[in-house]
Amino acid sequence: IIATLGLMANSTAVVIGAMLVAPLMSPIFGIALGLSSGDRQLLKTALLAETAGIILAVALPALIGLIPLRPDFGSEILARTQPNIYDVLIALASGLAGAYALVNERISPALPGVAIATALVPPLAACGLNIAAGNWPLAGGAFLLFAVNLIAIEFAAASIFMLAGLVEFPHASNGSKLKAIVSSMGVSLLILVLATGFMTQTLINIVSERQLEKQIRTVLTGQLTNYAGARLSELNFVQTGTDLEVIATVITPQEISPIQVANFETSLQAIVNPETQLIV
Protein backbone atom coordinates (compact mmCIF):
# COMPACT_ATOMS: atom_id res chain seq x y z
CA ILE A 1 0.00 0.00 0.00
CA ILE A 2 2.83 2.39 0.85
CA ALA A 3 4.62 1.61 -2.41
CA THR A 4 1.44 2.03 -4.46
CA LEU A 5 0.56 5.40 -2.97
CA GLY A 6 4.17 6.51 -3.32
CA LEU A 7 4.16 5.58 -7.01
CA MET A 8 0.84 7.35 -7.58
CA ALA A 9 2.16 10.45 -5.81
CA ASN A 10 5.42 10.12 -7.80
CA SER A 11 7.35 10.37 -4.51
CA THR A 12 10.80 8.76 -4.40
CA ALA A 13 11.02 9.13 -0.61
CA VAL A 14 7.78 7.20 -0.02
CA VAL A 15 8.84 4.43 -2.43
CA ILE A 16 12.13 4.06 -0.52
CA GLY A 17 10.17 3.78 2.74
CA ALA A 18 8.09 1.00 1.20
CA MET A 19 11.26 -0.90 0.26
CA LEU A 20 12.42 -0.81 3.88
CA VAL A 21 9.30 -2.40 5.38
CA ALA A 22 8.61 -4.89 2.56
CA PRO A 23 8.95 -8.53 3.73
CA LEU A 24 10.01 -9.98 0.36
CA MET A 25 13.80 -10.20 0.72
CA SER A 26 14.07 -12.81 3.51
CA PRO A 27 11.96 -15.48 1.73
CA ILE A 28 14.25 -15.14 -1.29
CA PHE A 29 17.22 -15.91 0.95
CA GLY A 30 15.22 -18.85 2.30
CA ILE A 31 14.64 -20.11 -1.26
CA ALA A 32 18.37 -19.78 -1.98
CA LEU A 33 19.37 -21.72 1.13
CA GLY A 34 16.69 -24.35 0.56
CA LEU A 35 17.77 -24.93 -3.05
CA SER A 36 21.49 -25.00 -2.33
CA SER A 37 21.21 -27.25 0.72
CA GLY A 38 18.42 -29.50 -0.52
CA ASP A 39 16.23 -28.62 2.47
CA ARG A 40 12.77 -29.23 0.97
CA GLN A 41 10.85 -28.05 4.02
CA LEU A 42 12.69 -24.72 4.08
CA LEU A 43 12.24 -24.37 0.33
CA LYS A 44 8.50 -25.06 0.59
CA THR A 45 8.03 -22.57 3.43
CA ALA A 46 10.03 -19.86 1.68
CA LEU A 47 8.22 -20.36 -1.64
CA LEU A 48 4.83 -20.14 0.08
CA ALA A 49 5.86 -16.94 1.87
CA GLU A 50 7.23 -15.36 -1.31
CA THR A 51 4.21 -16.39 -3.40
CA ALA A 52 1.80 -14.94 -0.83
CA GLY A 53 3.82 -11.73 -0.79
CA ILE A 54 3.78 -11.48 -4.59
CA ILE A 55 0.02 -12.03 -4.79
CA LEU A 56 -0.65 -9.38 -2.15
CA ALA A 57 1.85 -6.94 -3.68
CA VAL A 58 0.07 -7.16 -7.06
CA ALA A 59 -3.56 -7.51 -5.93
CA LEU A 60 -3.62 -4.57 -3.50
CA PRO A 61 -2.21 -2.05 -6.02
CA ALA A 62 -4.63 -3.37 -8.65
CA LEU A 63 -7.53 -2.65 -6.27
CA ILE A 64 -6.15 0.78 -5.37
CA GLY A 65 -5.69 1.51 -9.08
CA LEU A 66 -9.43 1.09 -9.63
CA ILE A 67 -10.16 4.13 -7.44
CA PRO A 68 -11.67 6.96 -9.53
CA LEU A 69 -9.65 10.15 -10.14
CA ARG A 70 -6.39 8.21 -10.34
CA PRO A 71 -3.58 10.56 -11.42
CA ASP A 72 -1.60 9.95 -14.60
CA PHE A 73 1.34 7.60 -14.25
CA GLY A 74 4.52 9.50 -13.42
CA SER A 75 8.20 8.77 -13.84
CA GLU A 76 8.38 6.55 -10.72
CA ILE A 77 5.99 4.03 -12.30
CA LEU A 78 7.34 4.20 -15.84
CA ALA A 79 10.93 3.76 -14.61
CA ARG A 80 9.98 0.28 -13.34
CA THR A 81 8.43 -0.99 -16.56
CA GLN A 82 11.58 -1.17 -18.74
CA PRO A 83 14.13 -3.44 -17.02
CA ASN A 84 17.66 -3.54 -18.40
CA ILE A 85 21.07 -5.09 -17.71
CA TYR A 86 21.82 -2.61 -14.91
CA ASP A 87 18.90 -4.00 -12.89
CA VAL A 88 20.40 -7.51 -13.12
CA LEU A 89 23.80 -6.30 -11.94
CA ILE A 90 22.24 -4.34 -9.03
CA ALA A 91 20.25 -7.41 -7.96
CA LEU A 92 23.34 -9.65 -8.11
CA ALA A 93 25.34 -7.20 -5.98
CA SER A 94 22.44 -6.85 -3.53
CA GLY A 95 22.07 -10.62 -3.23
CA LEU A 96 25.78 -11.02 -2.50
CA ALA A 97 25.74 -8.22 0.09
CA GLY A 98 22.52 -9.38 1.73
CA ALA A 99 23.57 -13.02 2.02
CA TYR A 100 26.97 -12.03 3.38
CA ALA A 101 25.23 -9.83 5.95
CA LEU A 102 23.18 -12.85 7.01
CA VAL A 103 26.18 -15.14 7.53
CA ASN A 104 28.33 -12.45 9.16
CA GLU A 105 26.69 -11.04 12.30
CA ARG A 106 29.07 -8.07 12.44
CA ILE A 107 27.55 -6.49 9.32
CA SER A 108 23.91 -7.54 9.71
CA PRO A 109 22.79 -3.86 9.90
CA ALA A 110 23.58 -3.71 6.14
CA LEU A 111 20.36 -5.60 5.35
CA PRO A 112 18.11 -2.48 5.27
CA GLY A 113 20.47 -0.94 2.73
CA VAL A 114 20.20 -4.07 0.59
CA ALA A 115 16.41 -3.85 0.77
CA ILE A 116 16.54 -0.27 -0.53
CA ALA A 117 19.01 -1.06 -3.30
CA THR A 118 16.92 -3.79 -4.91
CA ALA A 119 13.59 -3.12 -6.57
CA LEU A 120 11.21 -5.79 -5.29
CA VAL A 121 7.96 -4.22 -4.08
CA PRO A 122 7.79 -1.12 -6.36
CA PRO A 123 7.79 -3.21 -9.58
CA LEU A 124 4.99 -5.39 -8.21
CA ALA A 125 3.02 -2.28 -7.22
CA ALA A 126 3.64 -0.81 -10.69
CA CYS A 127 2.47 -4.11 -12.18
CA GLY A 128 -0.79 -3.99 -10.20
CA LEU A 129 -1.46 -0.35 -11.13
CA ASN A 130 -0.88 -1.08 -14.82
CA ILE A 131 -3.18 -4.11 -14.65
CA ALA A 132 -5.90 -1.86 -13.21
CA ALA A 133 -5.32 0.59 -16.07
CA GLY A 134 -5.25 -2.15 -18.71
CA ASN A 135 -1.63 -1.40 -19.68
CA TRP A 136 -0.64 -5.04 -20.13
CA PRO A 137 2.78 -4.50 -21.80
CA LEU A 138 3.85 -2.14 -18.99
CA ALA A 139 2.49 -4.56 -16.38
CA GLY A 140 4.51 -7.37 -17.98
CA GLY A 141 7.67 -5.25 -17.99
CA ALA A 142 7.25 -4.39 -14.30
CA PHE A 143 6.71 -8.03 -13.32
CA LEU A 144 9.71 -9.07 -15.42
CA LEU A 145 11.85 -6.62 -13.44
CA PHE A 146 10.74 -8.23 -10.17
CA ALA A 147 11.17 -11.79 -11.48
CA VAL A 148 14.71 -11.18 -12.71
CA ASN A 149 15.62 -9.46 -9.44
CA LEU A 150 14.28 -12.46 -7.53
CA ILE A 151 16.33 -14.94 -9.61
CA ALA A 152 19.49 -12.78 -9.42
CA ILE A 153 19.26 -12.37 -5.62
CA GLU A 154 18.54 -16.08 -5.16
CA PHE A 155 21.51 -17.10 -7.33
CA ALA A 156 23.92 -14.66 -5.63
CA ALA A 157 22.74 -15.64 -2.15
CA ALA A 158 23.07 -19.36 -2.89
CA SER A 159 26.65 -18.74 -4.06
CA ILE A 160 27.50 -16.97 -0.80
CA PHE A 161 25.91 -19.75 1.30
CA MET A 162 28.05 -22.31 -0.53
CA LEU A 163 31.24 -20.27 -0.13
CA ALA A 164 30.48 -19.73 3.57
CA GLY A 165 30.30 -23.48 4.15
CA LEU A 166 26.60 -23.56 5.05
CA VAL A 167 25.99 -26.21 2.40
CA GLU A 168 27.61 -29.64 2.44
CA PHE A 169 28.21 -31.56 -0.78
CA PRO A 170 29.18 -35.22 -1.16
CA HIS A 171 32.92 -35.73 -1.47
CA ALA A 172 33.61 -38.10 -4.34
CA SER A 173 35.87 -38.28 -7.35
CA ASN A 174 33.15 -38.94 -9.92
CA GLY A 175 32.07 -35.31 -10.19
CA SER A 176 29.12 -35.66 -7.80
CA LYS A 177 30.01 -32.36 -6.10
CA LEU A 178 29.90 -30.49 -9.40
CA LYS A 179 26.71 -32.32 -10.31
CA ALA A 180 25.11 -31.24 -7.02
CA ILE A 181 26.07 -27.61 -7.61
CA VAL A 182 24.69 -27.67 -11.17
CA SER A 183 21.45 -29.36 -10.11
CA SER A 184 20.81 -26.78 -7.37
CA MET A 185 21.86 -23.63 -9.25
CA GLY A 186 21.85 -24.57 -12.94
CA VAL A 187 18.24 -23.56 -13.66
CA SER A 188 18.66 -20.19 -11.91
CA LEU A 189 21.85 -19.50 -13.85
CA LEU A 190 20.21 -20.40 -17.17
CA ILE A 191 17.21 -18.13 -16.50
CA LEU A 192 19.57 -15.37 -15.42
CA VAL A 193 21.66 -15.64 -18.60
CA LEU A 194 18.58 -15.59 -20.85
CA ALA A 195 17.07 -12.62 -19.00
CA THR A 196 20.38 -10.77 -19.12
CA GLY A 197 20.49 -11.15 -22.90
CA PHE A 198 16.94 -9.84 -23.25
CA MET A 199 17.57 -6.92 -20.92
CA THR A 200 20.79 -6.01 -22.72
CA GLN A 201 18.73 -5.63 -25.90
CA THR A 202 16.24 -3.49 -23.97
CA LEU A 203 19.06 -1.20 -22.84
CA ILE A 204 20.33 -0.93 -26.43
CA ASN A 205 16.82 0.07 -27.56
CA ILE A 206 16.54 2.70 -24.81
CA VAL A 207 19.92 4.21 -25.74
CA SER A 208 18.94 4.26 -29.44
CA GLU A 209 15.64 6.01 -28.63
CA ARG A 210 17.40 8.64 -26.57
CA GLN A 211 19.90 9.29 -29.33
CA LEU A 212 17.07 9.59 -31.84
CA GLU A 213 15.18 11.99 -29.58
CA LYS A 214 18.32 14.10 -29.16
CA GLN A 215 18.76 14.28 -32.94
CA ILE A 216 15.13 15.32 -33.52
CA ARG A 217 15.24 17.89 -30.74
CA THR A 218 18.49 19.39 -32.06
CA VAL A 219 17.10 19.78 -35.60
CA LEU A 220 13.79 21.32 -34.49
CA THR A 221 15.42 23.64 -31.95
CA GLY A 222 17.80 24.84 -34.64
CA GLN A 223 14.90 25.55 -37.02
CA LEU A 224 12.93 27.43 -34.34
CA THR A 225 15.80 29.87 -33.74
CA ASN A 226 14.60 31.63 -36.89
CA TYR A 227 11.32 32.54 -35.17
CA ALA A 228 11.49 35.12 -32.40
CA GLY A 229 10.06 33.82 -29.12
CA ALA A 230 9.35 30.31 -30.44
CA ARG A 231 10.49 27.27 -28.45
CA LEU A 232 9.96 23.52 -28.43
CA SER A 233 7.70 22.59 -25.51
CA GLU A 234 7.10 18.85 -25.93
CA LEU A 235 8.33 16.15 -28.28
CA ASN A 236 6.82 12.74 -29.00
CA PHE A 237 7.72 10.27 -31.71
CA VAL A 238 6.78 6.78 -32.85
CA GLN A 239 9.02 4.65 -35.05
CA THR A 240 7.42 1.78 -36.96
CA GLY A 241 9.92 -0.04 -39.14
CA THR A 242 11.56 2.64 -41.27
CA ASP A 243 8.71 5.15 -40.80
CA LEU A 244 9.09 7.88 -38.16
CA GLU A 245 6.21 10.05 -37.00
CA VAL A 246 7.15 13.12 -34.94
CA ILE A 247 4.67 15.26 -33.00
CA ALA A 248 6.16 18.53 -31.75
CA THR A 249 4.38 20.98 -29.48
CA VAL A 250 5.72 24.49 -30.05
CA ILE A 251 5.02 27.60 -27.97
CA THR A 252 5.22 30.60 -30.28
CA PRO A 253 3.86 34.18 -30.39
CA GLN A 254 3.42 33.95 -34.17
CA GLU A 255 1.73 31.55 -36.54
CA ILE A 256 3.81 28.78 -38.11
CA SER A 257 2.46 28.10 -41.59
CA PRO A 258 2.12 24.67 -43.24
CA ILE A 259 4.93 25.65 -45.63
CA GLN A 260 7.24 26.33 -42.69
CA VAL A 261 6.25 23.00 -41.09
CA ALA A 262 7.09 21.32 -44.41
CA ASN A 263 10.55 22.95 -44.24
CA PHE A 264 11.02 21.55 -40.73
CA GLU A 265 9.99 18.13 -42.01
CA THR A 266 12.45 18.34 -44.90
CA SER A 267 15.28 19.10 -42.44
CA LEU A 268 14.35 16.07 -40.36
CA GLN A 269 14.23 13.88 -43.46
CA ALA A 270 17.67 15.07 -44.53
CA ILE A 271 19.36 14.64 -41.14
CA VAL A 272 17.40 12.08 -39.11
CA ASN A 273 15.26 9.77 -41.26
CA PRO A 274 14.12 10.07 -44.91
CA GLU A 275 10.73 8.56 -43.95
CA THR A 276 9.89 11.22 -41.33
CA GLN A 277 6.42 12.76 -41.00
CA LEU A 278 6.11 15.85 -38.81
CA ILE A 279 3.09 17.28 -37.03
CA VAL A 280 3.46 20.64 -35.27
Side-chain angles (χ1 to χ4, degrees), residues 18-78:
M19 292 178 181
L20 274 173
V21 299
L24 287 176
M25 183 69 83
S26 294
I28 298 177
F29 290 145
I31 294 171
L33 187 57
L35 280 173
S36 57
S37 65
D39 188 334
R40 293 186 178 182
Q41 184 58 45
L42 173 60
L43 180 60
K44 180 181 177 181
T45 304
L47 281 172
L48 285 174
E50 189 70 14
T51 302
I54 293 170
I55 293 171
L56 281 173
V58 173
L60 287 174
L63 291 174
I64 295 173
L66 296 175
I67 297 174
L69 303 178
R70 183 187 67 240
D72 291 336
F73 290 166
S75 58
E76 287 292 330
I77 293 178
L78 297 178

Side-chain angles (χ1 to χ4, degrees), residues 34-242:
L35 280 173
S36 57
S37 65
D39 188 334
R40 293 186 178 182
Q41 184 58 45
L42 173 60
L43 180 60
K44 180 181 177 181
T45 304
L47 281 172
L48 285 174
E50 189 70 14
T51 302
I54 293 170
I55 293 171
L56 281 173
V58 173
L60 287 174
L63 291 174
I64 295 173
L66 296 175
I67 297 174
L69 303 178
R70 183 187 67 240
D72 291 336
F73 290 166
S75 58
E76 287 292 330
I77 293 178
L78 297 178
R80 291 169 173 86
T81 58
Q82 286 188 310
N84 58 61
I85 184 64
Y86 295 137
D87 296 303
V88 178
L89 297 177
I90 291 168
L92 282 171
S94 299
L96 291 170
Y100 188 62
L102 281 178
V103 300
N104 189 332
E105 294 181 356
R106 292 176 298 173
I107 60 170
S108 58
L111 279 174
V114 173
I116 293 175
T118 312
L120 290 175
V121 173
L124 292 176
C127 177
L129 286 172
N130 278 293
I131 288 174
N135 296 329
W136 298 104
L138 295 182
F143 191 83
L144 176 63
L145 173 58
F146 166 79
V148 171
N149 281 340
L150 186 153
I151 296 296
I153 294 170
E154 178 265 317
F155 177 78
S159 302
I160 289 292
F161 294 149
M162 290 180 182
L163 292 173
L166 298 181
V167 179
E168 292 185 1
F169 293 107
H171 296 283
S173 57
N174 59 0
S176 58
K177 184 175 182 180
L178 178 61
K179 189 182 297 183
I181 294 175
V182 171
S183 64
S184 62
M185 299 178 61
V187 175
S188 298
L189 180 59
L190 178 61
I191 294 173
L192 201 56
V193 169
L194 293 175
T196 300
F198 173 78
M199 290 185 170
T200 301
Q201 184 59 47
T202 302
L203 179 61
I204 292 172
N205 294 339
I206 291 173
V207 171
S208 299
E209 282 188 11
R210 288 179 180 174
Q211 289 176 340
L212 179 59
E213 180 181 1
K214 185 179 179 180
Q215 276 188 307
I216 297 170
R217 192 175 293 276
T218 300
V219 172
L220 292 179
T221 302
Q223 292 289 324
L224 290 172
T225 56
N226 299 320
Y227 302 88
R231 65 181 178 86
L232 182 62
S233 172
E234 187 177 347
L235 180 65
N236 294 290
F237 62 90
V238 177
Q239 188 164 23
T240 307
T242 58

Side-chain angles (χ1 to χ4, degrees), residues 220 224 230-234 248-252 256 264 280:
L220 292 179
L224 290 172
R231 65 181 178 86
L232 182 62
S233 172
E234 187 177 347
T249 304
V250 177
I251 296 178
T252 172
I256 297 180
F264 294 173
V280 175

Side-chain angles (χ1 to χ4, degrees), residues 227 252 254-265 278 280:
Y227 302 88
T252 172
Q254 55 187 308
E255 182 181 359
I256 297 180
S257 68
I259 294 176
Q260 292 165 330
V261 172
N263 291 335
F264 294 173
E265 185 177 82
L278 173 65
V280 175

